[in-house]
């Protein structure tokens, strides 16, 4: 039986744009596991109440329910230990943890400013009041006052991504010669942008752009084929 | 027979402040290998000519000469495979590579501005013209015009170190529960600052400060006991 995953969806239910859900979509493909995704909206708290909290991803694997992308990755490596590892030992786990914190503290704050209005426009009408109120409370401004344009986002991201760029000038993937969970943690952020926005936050000659292209091609183009506002 | 290492020294030959040499001092201790360090000055190019280039660290292990901190770490893991690994597999190597690029592209540019005049004052008189000319050519300004004070450096480092801080709020070392080469790559930068400068670039309540304290205590206080201008 397939694993089922609650997956944040836009107004178009085919558009899936959660960076955390994308980490797990890629992780499941890495493990060679099939998944049935269930479109989920911010307002569907009751659908995932069984997980004891209110955010996706949530997976159900037989009788087991797991939430939080980090906990799900650990679960998948523990439960499916004979399949390719997402995090190969203690140092591999530390690498994924550094990569996810880099994504969340360096990439996401800049990208969020660039795409927050695009997210607002892409989500279901029933989610918009929740999104505006929760995000405006978090940033202390209206979405419109907080948003930045594509050029400003690119100018901010270019120096901010310097360590990632230096790494990807030397190796094909964050995890080394082959992708694994550190890559999926970072790539989830780029799929968030792609899902809702036509903004292109990387220059085409950036090694990070070339890595993103390689990630889009993995697993027979799983991410590239996914319906999205951007490309 | 001990491994010998050419180690950048200040005007006081007991002060060793190269971030790359400190990576290897810690790496050798991690492997349980004894080392005889040979104080080296920027002007001593002939002493390390056998390595085919002009920078330290250079180690001699029996008949084998290896230079470049990354190459030395790989050599030590390959040559002393039964001793504790510096980089535990492909993902461990990727983590160390990400950490060293984070150190070099995020930490070092800010720290360099803060301590460049301290370095100038700490190095041997015979090295000062070389240091001033090479560094001023690199940054396109006089050292005095490029330098920043402690307060400005702390204000710049605080947000820049966000991913490292987030990681160290969850785990004791960059490598996980125990330190290894990713930690030594980052810590080398802090030993560079400590060697030449009384500036304290971290707030005492910063998790990165607590990690630095743990690193100073490793191997019976190897780094803490090292003669230095700072503390």
């Amino acid at each position: 039986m397939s694993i089922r995953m609650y997956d944040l969806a836009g107004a178009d239910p085919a558009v899936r744009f959660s960076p955390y859900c994308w980490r797990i979509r890629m992780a499941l493909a890495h493990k060679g596991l099939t998944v049935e995704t269930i479109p989920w909206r911010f307002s569907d708290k009751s659908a995932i109440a069984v997980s004891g909290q209110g955010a996706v991803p949530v997976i159900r694997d037989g009788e087991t329910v797991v939430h939080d992308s980090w906990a799900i990755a650990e679960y998948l490596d523990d439960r499916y230990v004979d399949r390719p590892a997402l995090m190969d030992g203690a140092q591999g786990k530390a690498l994924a943890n550094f990569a996810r914190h880099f994504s969340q503290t360096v990439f996401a704050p800049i990208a969020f400013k660039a795409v927050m209005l695009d997210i607002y426009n892409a989500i279901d009408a029933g989610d918009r009041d929740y999104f505006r109120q929760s995000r405006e409370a978090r940033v202390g401004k209206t979405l419109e006052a907080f948003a930045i344009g594509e050029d400003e986002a690119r100018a901010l991201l270019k120096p901010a991504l310097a360590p990632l760029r230096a790494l990807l000038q030397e190796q094909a993937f964050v995890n080394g010669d082959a992708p694994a969970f550190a890559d999926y943690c970072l790539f989830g952020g780029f799929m968030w942008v792609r899902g809702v926005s036509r903004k292109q936050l990387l220059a085409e000659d950036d090694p990070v752009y070339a890595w993103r292209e390689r990630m889009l091609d993995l697993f027979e183009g799983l991410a590239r084929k996914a319906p999205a506002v951007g490309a």
Side-chain angles (χ1 to χ4, degrees), chain A:
Chain A
M1 200 177 77
S2 287
I3 291 171
R4 302 180 77 193
M5 180 177 98
Y6 289 92
D7 191 15
L8 182 64
D12 175 352
V15 170
R16 310 297 173 85
F17 66 96
S18 160
Y20 308 108
C21 291
W22 269 106
R23 293 178 182 179
I24 300 307
R25 283 296 298 280
M26 300 297 285
L28 289 163
H30 180 100
K31 302 292 282 188
L33 296 166
T34 56
V35 61
E36 176 194 346
T37 64
I38 303 157
W40 181 87
R41 301 270 166 64
F42 288 118
S43 49
D44 293 346
K45 300 296 184 195
S46 65
I48 58 171
V50 64
S51 71
Q53 52 85 60
V56 291
V58 172
I59 67 163
R60 179 185 286 277
D61 185 13
E63 295 302 304
T64 305
V65 175
V66 191
H67 71 93
D68 180 274
S69 63
W70 186 260
I72 294 170
E74 289 187 315
Y75 166 80
L76 293 174
D77 269 348
D78 289 346
R79 171 72 181 79
Y80 299 98
V81 71
D82 294 336
R83 291 170 179 252
L86 291 163
M87 299 186 279
D88 188 4
Q91 296 192 3
K93 189 170 285 196
L95 171 61
N97 208 15
F98 196 19
R100 77 171 173 143
H101 285 303
F102 188 83
S103 180
Q104 289 167 204
T105 63
V106 177
F107 176 82
I110 298 169
F112 183 56
K113 285 189 176 188
V115 304
M116 61 198 315
L117 284 173
D118 297 320
I119 297 172
Y120 184 78
N121 290 324
I123 59 180
D124 191 64
D127 275 354
R128 288 186 187 162
D129 284 352
Y130 164 81
F131 181 82
R132 179 180 285 279
Q133 286 164 19
S134 61
R135 271 52 177 180
E136 290 185 348
R138 189 190 297 172
V139 303
K141 292 184 181 179
T142 65
L143 298 185
E144 288 75 7
F146 194 64
I148 59 175
E150 182 178 78
D151 288 349
E152 185 175 353
R154 287 171 74 139
L156 290 169
L157 268 184
K158 190 175 175 183
L161 296 182
L164 181 61
R165 181 176 305 114
L167 185 69
L168 293 170
Q169 281 172 323
E170 293 182 352
Q171 54 191 60
F173 295 99
V174 178
N175 277 100
D177 294 336
F181 198 56
D183 289 281
Y184 309 143
C185 286
L186 283 155
F187 182 63
F190 288 92
M191 288 302 288
W192 177 52
V193 172
R194 184 178 190 269
V196 297
S197 177
R198 289 192 173 78
K199 294 189 178 76
Q200 178 51 263
L201 302 188
L202 299 170
E204 290 191 14
D205 63 355
D206 190 329
V208 183
Y209 182 97
W211 163 81
R212 179 180 172 277
E213 289 290 304
R214 288 192 289 278
M215 297 298 293
L216 285 164
D217 287 335
L218 291 176
F219 314 123
E220 301 179 338
L222 171 67
R224 196 185 291 283
K225 289 175 188 165
V229 171

